[in-house]
Structure formats: structure tokens, C-alpha cells
């Protein structure tokens, strides 16, 4: 019996340590988010006013904050926010990157020049500065912070899609498609797109850590999530105010963030080895 | 020479486009600077008067051209709505602070990261390499604000060696610079390693070994020189990005630099200051990019020829 390609893929997954470790770490994050109300002993709002700044103890595993809220419960609920950032931010970047990259690579010409010039423009101002400017205009909240970061980051994905499209569009199978009378849209989305899916998966998983970190940084700076949201960036920035009195407030939310980002990073490395071994690490 | 002039012209065009983009974005901003300056409950006449005084009643294009003219001829970026002083006076004292921090950070960072990356490439798959690679993987997953928090806890709270925040003595520089160096160390190390590995696999390295050149001479003359090309480009391009990284650190450590001012101006919707700071940062970015291209041309003659429009 011949091993199916899917089985073979699973077998190589099994051999890839990065993939397994990253997958298990990410799974634990997703499960925490899904069962947050079951795991967290308290709700993330409305603390006990008699238990402000309790240091970690059996009742409050990671201690409480300035309003007597249980830090552990807030971190558990914060998982949902971080995954939401990854999901929405990743989707917007992927959508813009694929559509713009495909059109520019396929048609070339004026559209392509304009896009390249626009991409050069975004290179001219550091991403964080640009994102801050965007948030200023559209207002400070989590959704807008996600949009701002996606608007800054999509260009690099579009560039890669464009380059791949340009190298694919002259290949024989596209000529076959043309001979069959396929429309340009069909050529782009049914002929070229499936061929760049592995590269896309790798690109998205490699860009997610950056997306999560930048969005959390915006929250940290006070232009993303607003209180009383249990956003990890916001929690660390509140924690700094009480750093001498209650250091746990700034430590543990950051630790949770590092764990989540690391799970995406390791999974991304594993996926890259599996799907696109020639692609170089982005550093 | 022709190439540099061309690059400079494109750079100027880019800066103008960016400043126009930011100008029109801020023009569309929901918060109205006129209301901000007049204060609560000002009469309509007072609002009109202020709008007229600062030229805020004119159409977008006219406002932008006026702004650009003022900036280019008199370095007049307008008045800060919040501090009620000329923006340039506010900004000019902060530029050296940010630049000093950034340059020191960049130098220290590359002095550590480049040798480490090269060693990793030479000793590929040894324990040292694995430790460094594992370490950099973790480091790239730590946001810079949390590195700053950990350093503050360790050196300022636990051991009480350095001050938490402020900016008066040399001691105040140590923590921000450490946080900045640690923040960029991992990606530079990884880049150096992958560049050096690429160079090690090139045929000219094999040739060098084959003709009997010593290990040391090969590494310095062939591998190091060729991998330095990309690293030099990276260095000159990273300076503006470091400045933007310092936005966060300046806020945490309360340093009176450009980043801290930018954040506060955004929060207070002080849009002349925001406009000015983004203008300056984009000029720096363009200059650094052009410098990077020139360094690249010096180190790698092939590039000079291919992008300069033919071998003349």
C-alpha cells in the first residue's frame, strides 16, 4: 500500500521537533482561551477591595492588583485578547498581501509601479511611528490598533506574493490555462494562488509573533486596549506604576505574552522547515 | 555620482510624499485643534479667530504648501498647541538626546552581535551554536517593554544599583541602553550567522582552501569581507528603526527624547509636533537608506555597476 501524501506529511511533522513543541504550546494557549471561565477562579473585573496588592498566595495564585483583582484570572482572560489580535491581524495582512501581491505580480505595469512606490513610502517611516499616526487618526482602541499594525505590515507580504506570482506567471501551466480560455481572475486565484499556499502559511506564521508584539506594544503605550480590559500589554504598563510595591503585576502578564509569542515563533520555524525549506529565516 | 544624485532626488520626493500623507491624515483627524486651543465652551467667534490666526480655515493643499514653505525657509514648524511654544524649540533639544542613545546602542549591539553571529557560523552545530540559536529564538519573542521591566526589577528594585527613571547622570543611561541593546541583539546575531553561512558555502571559499590559504586568512579575507556587506547595510538602515524602538523605552524610563515627545503629542493631539517629528524621522530614514546604498556600492562593486545604469 502506498502512503498517502497526507500521511507522509504527518510523518515528517512527527519528526520535526520544532513543529511538535510549537504545536503543543499553541494548543495549550488556545485551550486556555477556550475554557477561560472554567480555568480562572475569578472574573477579570470587579476585584475584592479588601485584598489590594496581595502577594502570591494559595487563594490568589499570582497575587492581586491595585483594585484587588486576581492577576491569574486576568491573565487567563487576556489569552482571548491575544488570540483575537493574532487572528484578526493575521487575516487582514493575509488578505491585503495576497490580493495586492497577486494583482501587481500578474498585471505588472502602472499598478505595479504605484504599489512599489507605496511600499517604499511605508519603508520611509518606521512601522511603529506609522502605526501610532494611524491610531491617532482612527482613535485608540484594540480593533483600531490591530488595523493600524496590519496596515503597516501587509506590504512585506504583498512583496513576497508579487515576486512569487511574477515567477509563476510565465510557466507552462499558466499558458495551458490561457489556452483553455480561463479568465485572468481564474488564472490568479485558481492557478497561481494554490501554488503559493505553502509559502503563505510560512509567511503568516512567521509574521504573527511580530503582529502580536506590536499590537501589545500599542496597548502598552496606551493607544490600544483601554482599561479595564485584561490586555497583557496594558497590564504590564499598569504594573510598572507599582513596580517597587508589587513586582508580580509587571512580571507575569509579560511572561504569558512571551510564552504565546514563543509558541508562534517555534511553530513558524517548524512549518518553514516542513513546507518551504529554502526560505531563509527572517531573523 | 550620477547614481547618488538620482537616489537623493528620489529620497526628497519620498520625504515630501510621506509628509503630505501624514499632513492629510492629521487633517482628517477627529479631534479639532481649534477646539483644543480655545478650551472648553469658547464662542464661535473666538474659534473662527483662532482658526484664522493659525491658518486652519484654509483648504488642505494650501495649508500643506504653506507649511512646507515655512519649514524649508525658516525651519518654522508652527506652534505647539499644548505647550504654546514654537515646535522647533521643543524638538531641537530632544534630537541629540535620542541620537546619542541610538548611536551608543547601535555600536554596542553590533560589537556583540557580529562576533557572536560569526562564531556561530564557524562553529555550526556545536553546543555554543545551539545555545546561541536557542537563546536568540527566545530573545526575539520578548517585547522590548518587558525586557525593560525585567532590567528595572533586577538592577533598580532588587539590587538598587541604578535609578529607575529620569535623565540627569550617566547612571540613567545604563538601563535604557541595556534594554535597547538586548532588544536588537537577537535579530542581528541571526542575520550575521546566516550571511556568514552563505559566504562559507560559496565556491570562492572552497577555492581559497584548495589553493592552501590558511583557515584564518580565508575567514578574514573571504568570509568576513563578504558577509560584512549585508551587515553594513543592516547597520545603516537600522538607525531610524532604533529611534522608533526608543519611543517605548523613552516612555518607560521617562527620557526627554523624540519618542517620548511623540507619544505625548499623539495623546494630546498636538498635531504640529507630531507632523514635525515624523518629518524629521523620515528624513533620517531616507539619509540612512542612501548611506546604506553608498556603503554597499563601496564594498561590492557589482552593485554599483548594475544599479547605476550600465558600466560606464
Amino acid at each position: 500500500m502506498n502512503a498517502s501524501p497526507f500521511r507522509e506529511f504527518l510523518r515528517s511533522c512527527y519528526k520535526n521537533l520544532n513543529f511538535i513543541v510549537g504545536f503543543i504550546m499553541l494548543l495549550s494557549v488556545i485551550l486556555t482561551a477556550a475554557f477561560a471561565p472554567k480555568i480562572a477562579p475569578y472574573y477579570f473585573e470587579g476585584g475584592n477591595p479588601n485584598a489590594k496588592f496581595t502577594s502570591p498566595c494559595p487563594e490568589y495564585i499570582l497575587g492581586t492588583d491595585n483594585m484587588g483583582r486576581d492577576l491569574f484570572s486576568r491573565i487567563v482572560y487576556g489569552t482571548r485578547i491575544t488570540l483575537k489580535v493574532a487572528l484578526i491581524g493575521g487575516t487582514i495582512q493575509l488578505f491585503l498581501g495576497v490580493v495586492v501581491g497577486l494583482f501587481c505580480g500578474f498585471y505588472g505595469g502602472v499598478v505595479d509601479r504605484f504599489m512599489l512606490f507605496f511600499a517604499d513610502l511605508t519603508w520611509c517611516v518606521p512601522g511603529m511611528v506609522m502605526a501610532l499616526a494611524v491610531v491617532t487618526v482612527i482613535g485608540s482602541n484594540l480593533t483600531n490598533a490591530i488595523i493600524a499594525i496590519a496596515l503597516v505590515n501587509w506590504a512585506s507580504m504583498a512583496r513576497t506574493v508579487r515576486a512569487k506570482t511574477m515567477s509563476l506567471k510565465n510557466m507552462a501551466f499558466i499558458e495551458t490555462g490561457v489556452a483553455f480560455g480561463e479568465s485572468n481572475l481564474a488564472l490568479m486565484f485558481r492557478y497561481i494562488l494554490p501554488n503559493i499556499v505553502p509559502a503563505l502559511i510560512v509567511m503568516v506564521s512567521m509574521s504573527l509573533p511580530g503582529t502580536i508584539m506590536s499590537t501589545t506594544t500599542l496597548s502598552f503605550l496606551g493607544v490600544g486596549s483601554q482599561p479595564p480590559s485584561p490586555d497583557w500589554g496594558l497590564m504590564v504598563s499598569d504594573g510598572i506604576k507599582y513596580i517597587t510595591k508589587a513586582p508580580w503585576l509587571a512580571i507575569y502578564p509579560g511572561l504569558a505574552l512571551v510564552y504565546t509569542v514563543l509558541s508562534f515563533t517555534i511553530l513558524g520555524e517548524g512549518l518553514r522547515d516542513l513546507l518551504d525549506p529554502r526560505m531563509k529565516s527572517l531573523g | 555620482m550620477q547614481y547618488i544624485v538620482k537616489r537623493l532626488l528620489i529620497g526628497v520626493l519620498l520625504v515630501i510624499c510621506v509628509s503630505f500623507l501624514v499632513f492629510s491624515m492629521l487633517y482628517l483627524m477627529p479631534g479639532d485643534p481649534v477646539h483644543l486651543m480655545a478650551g472648553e465652551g469658547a464662542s464661535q467667534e473666538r474659534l473662527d479667530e483662532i482658526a484664522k490666526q493659525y491658518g486652519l480655515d484654509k483648504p488642505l493643499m494650501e495649508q500643506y504648501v504653506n507649511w512646507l514653505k515655512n519649514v524649508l525657509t525658516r525651519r518654522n514648524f508652527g506652534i505647539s498647541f499644548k505647550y504654546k511654544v514654537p515646535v522647533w524649540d521643543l524638538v531641537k533639544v530632544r534630537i541629540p538626546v535620542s541620537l546619542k542613545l541610538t548611536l551608543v546602542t547601535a555600536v554596542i549591539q553590533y560589537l556583540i552581535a557580529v562576533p557572536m553571529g560569526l562564531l556561530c557560523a564557524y562553529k555550526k552545530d556545536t553546543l555554543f551554536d545551539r545555545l546561541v540559536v536557542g537563546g536568540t529564538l527566545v530573545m526575539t519573542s520578548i517585547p522590548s517593554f518587558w525586557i525593560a521591566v525585567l532590567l528595572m526589577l533586577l538592577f533598580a528594585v532588587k539590587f538598587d544599583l541604578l535609578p529607575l527613571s529620569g535623565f540627569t547622570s550617566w547612571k540613567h543611561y545604563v538601563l535604557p541602553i541595556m534594554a535597547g541593546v538586548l532588544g536588537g541583539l537577537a535579530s542581528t546575531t541571526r542575520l550575521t550567522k546566516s550571511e556568514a553561512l552563505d559566504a562559507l558555502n560559496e565556491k570562492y571559499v572552497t577555492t581559497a582552501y584548495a589553493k592552501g590559504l590558511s583557515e584564518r586568512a580565508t575567514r578574514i579575507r573571504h568570509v568576513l569581507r563578504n558577509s560584512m556587506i549585508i551587515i553594513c547595510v543592516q547597520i545603516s538602515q537600522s538607525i531610524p528603526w532604533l529611534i522608533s524602538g526608543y519611543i517605548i523605552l523613552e516612555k518607560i524610563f521617562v527620557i526627554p527624547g523624540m519618542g517620548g515627545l511623540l507619544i505625548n503629542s499623539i495623546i494630546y493631539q498636538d498635531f504640529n509636533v507630531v507632523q514635525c517629528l515624523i518629518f524629521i524621522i523620515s528624513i533620517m530614514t531616507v539619509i540612512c537608506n542612501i548611506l546604506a546604498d553608498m556603503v554597499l556600492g563601496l564594498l561590492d562593486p557589482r552593485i554599483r555597476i548594475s544599479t547605476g545604469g550600465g558600466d560606464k
Side-chain angles (χ1 to χ4, degrees):
Chain A
M1 198 184 89
N2 283 333
S4 70
F6 184 66
R7 265 223 188 132
E8 211 151 282
F9 178 72
L10 277 188
R11 185 166 302 163
S12 53
C13 287
Y14 182 66
K15 277 187 198 148
N16 188 310
L17 188 68
N18 273 343
F19 180 82
I20 297 174
V21 173
F23 185 75
I24 292 173
M25 282 171 77
L26 185 60
L27 195 68
S28 67
V29 176
I30 293 174
L31 288 178
T32 309
F35 296 106
K38 292 239 163 32
I39 296 170
Y42 304 88
Y43 192 56
F44 66 85
E45 270 180 298
N48 177 1
N50 299 323
K52 288 177 188 170
F53 300 115
T54 316
S55 49
C57 63
E59 198 181 339
Y60 302 104
I61 312 170
L62 299 179
T64 60
D65 65 2
N66 57 325
M67 296 165 86
R69 296 173 297 193
D70 178 43
L71 186 64
F72 177 69
S73 307
R74 284 175 68 72
I75 291 178
V76 168
Y77 276 100
T79 319
R80 293 184 162 183
I81 297 178
T82 308
L83 286 183
K84 181 181 158 193
V85 166
L87 194 70
I88 301 180
T91 313
I92 300 176
Q93 283 176 44
L94 184 67
F95 180 77
L96 284 175
V98 166
V99 172
V100 176
L102 272 179
F103 271 89
C104 290
F106 193 81
Y107 287 108
V110 186
V111 188
D112 190 37
R113 291 258 182 82
F114 183 75
M115 182 327 242
L116 274 186
F117 185 73
F118 198 75
D120 272 352
L121 270 187
T122 55
W123 268 106
C124 211
V125 183
M128 193 42 83
V129 178
M130 207 66 205
L132 281 171
V134 173
V135 170
T136 316
V137 176
I138 59 180
S140 305
N141 62 45
L142 180 65
T143 316
N144 287 348
I146 298 175
I147 294 173
I149 293 296
L151 283 182
V152 170
N153 284 349
W154 67 276
S156 67
M157 199 166 296
R159 277 194 168 189
T160 319
V161 174
R162 171 182 169 273
K164 295 238 174 214
T165 309
M166 284 172 90
S167 67
L168 282 172
K169 78 171 178 191
N170 294 324
M171 289 177 92
F173 72 98
I174 299 293
E175 276 173 38
T176 320
V178 175
F180 277 147
E182 295 277 15
S183 69
N184 280 343
L185 271 181
L187 285 177
M188 274 189 271
F189 287 94
R190 295 219 344 255
Y191 284 68
I192 295 177
L193 188 59
N195 281 292
I196 53 177
V197 164
L200 280 179
I201 296 176
V202 176
M203 264 193 292
V204 169
S205 60
M206 305 277 280
S207 76
L208 280 180
T211 305
I212 296 175
M213 284 205 283
S214 326
T215 317
T216 317
T217 304
L218 286 184
S219 292
F220 175 83
L221 291 173
V223 296
S225 298
Q226 299 299 322
S229 156
D231 186 291
W232 294 338
L234 198 62
M235 286 162 77
V236 174
S237 101
D238 282 340
I240 290 184
K241 292 179 202 149
Y242 313 108
I243 197 162
T244 43
K245 201 169 163 192
W248 57 87
L249 290 179
I251 297 177
Y252 296 119
L255 204 60
L257 177 64
V258 172
Y259 179 81
T260 309
V261 172
L262 201 58
S263 74
F264 278 106
T265 312
I266 296 177
L267 188 70
E269 296 264 319
L271 279 173
R272 189 197 60 212
D273 294 344
L274 284 172
L275 297 172
D276 199 356
R278 274 173 307 169
M279 190 161 142
K280 261 215 263 177
S281 165
L282 295 172
Chain B
M1 196 56 220
Q2 200 189 359
Y3 170 59
I4 295 169
V5 171
K6 201 173 141 194
R7 280 297 323 235
L8 274 175
L9 284 176
I10 295 178
V12 170
L13 192 68
L14 277 174
V15 169
I16 289 177
C17 283
V18 165
S19 67
F20 180 69
L21 208 71
V22 174
F23 198 91
S24 38
M25 261 165 62
L26 295 172
Y27 181 82
L28 298 171
M29 199 165 80
D32 187 356
V34 179
H35 280 97
L36 202 74
M37 273 187 296
E40 290 284 316
S43 66
Q44 189 59 42
E45 288 87 60
R46 177 86 185 111
L47 292 178
D48 290 344
E49 194 186 317
I50 289 177
K52 201 160 185 183
Q53 188 188 341
Y54 290 100
L56 293 168
D57 54 345
K58 300 208 174 71
L60 170 67
M61 206 55 209
E62 200 183 330
Q63 275 193 41
Y64 176 71
V65 171
N66 278 338
W67 178 84
L68 196 65
K69 218 188 289 167
N70 274 327
V71 167
L72 294 180
T73 51
R74 290 179 288 151
R75 260 188 308 194
N76 175 3
F77 287 91
I79 306 266
S80 157
F81 299 139
K82 179 168 182 280
Y83 300 99
K84 307 273 192 306
V85 293
V87 172
W88 181 242
D89 291 347
L90 209 60
V91 170
K92 75 177 173 204
V93 288
R94 287 174 163 85
I95 296 176
V97 175
S98 288
L99 273 186
K100 212 188 314 177
L101 277 174
T102 317
L103 287 177
V104 173
T105 307
V107 169
I108 298 178
Q109 187 182 311
Y110 286 101
L111 279 182
I112 301 174
V114 171
M116 211 148 78
L118 287 175
L119 261 182
C120 276
Y122 295 152
K123 297 184 184 299
K124 193 175 181 304
D125 291 332
T126 58
L127 184 67
F128 174 78
D129 175 44
R130 289 210 182 127
L131 280 179
V132 172
V133 167
T136 53
L137 199 69
V138 176
M139 289 289 292
T140 48
S141 306
I142 304 179
S144 59
F145 63 83
W146 201 58
I147 294 184
V149 167
L150 291 185
L151 289 175
M152 276 166 122
L153 274 173
L154 193 65
F155 291 99
V157 179
K158 190 132 174 72
F159 295 116
D160 205 17
L161 287 173
L162 299 161
L164 260 181
S165 59
F167 207 63
T168 41
S169 74
W170 66 270
K171 276 186 170 177
H172 291 96
Y173 283 81
V174 179
L175 281 185
I177 288 177
M178 250 161 98
V181 168
L182 287 174
L185 201 59
S187 58
T188 317
T189 309
R190 286 170 76 120
L191 180 85
T192 313
K193 186 194 165 188
S194 79
E195 282 308 314
L197 273 183
D198 276 0
L200 273 174
N201 288 329
E202 290 282 352
K203 290 198 180 89
Y204 52 74
V205 173
T206 319
T207 314
Y209 280 130
K211 74 177 185 189
L213 208 62
S214 73
E215 186 90 24
R216 205 187 135 97
T218 316
R219 282 181 180 174
I220 291 172
R221 264 189 253 164
H222 295 276
V223 179
L224 184 63
R225 188 173 163 178
N226 281 295
S227 45
M228 278 318 277
I229 293 173
I230 297 292
I231 297 162
C232 282
V233 173
Q234 177 78 10
I235 293 175
S236 33
Q237 279 183 342
S238 70
I239 289 173
W241 295 87
L242 275 171
I243 292 177
S244 77
Y246 261 105
I247 294 175
I248 300 146
L249 296 179
E250 281 174 12
K251 173 145 165 99
I252 298 175
F253 293 105
V254 200
I255 297 166
M258 293 200 292
L261 183 66
L262 182 66
I263 288 279
N264 286 333
S265 309
I266 283 178
I267 290 170
Y268 293 116
Q269 309 201 315
D270 194 349
F271 95 82
N272 277 348
V273 181
V274 176
Q275 172 77 29
C276 170
L277 285 170
I278 294 185
F279 187 72
I280 290 168
I281 293 177
S282 61
I283 289 179
M284 283 189 199
T285 316
V286 166
I287 292 176
C288 291
N289 282 341
I290 294 173
L291 278 180
D293 281 350
M294 281 161 63
V295 172
L296 196 64
L298 282 178
L299 288 173
D300 190 346
R302 285 172 308 181
I303 293 167
R304 203 166 30 200
I305 293 163
S306 65
T307 47
D311 191 3
K312 281 169 195 157

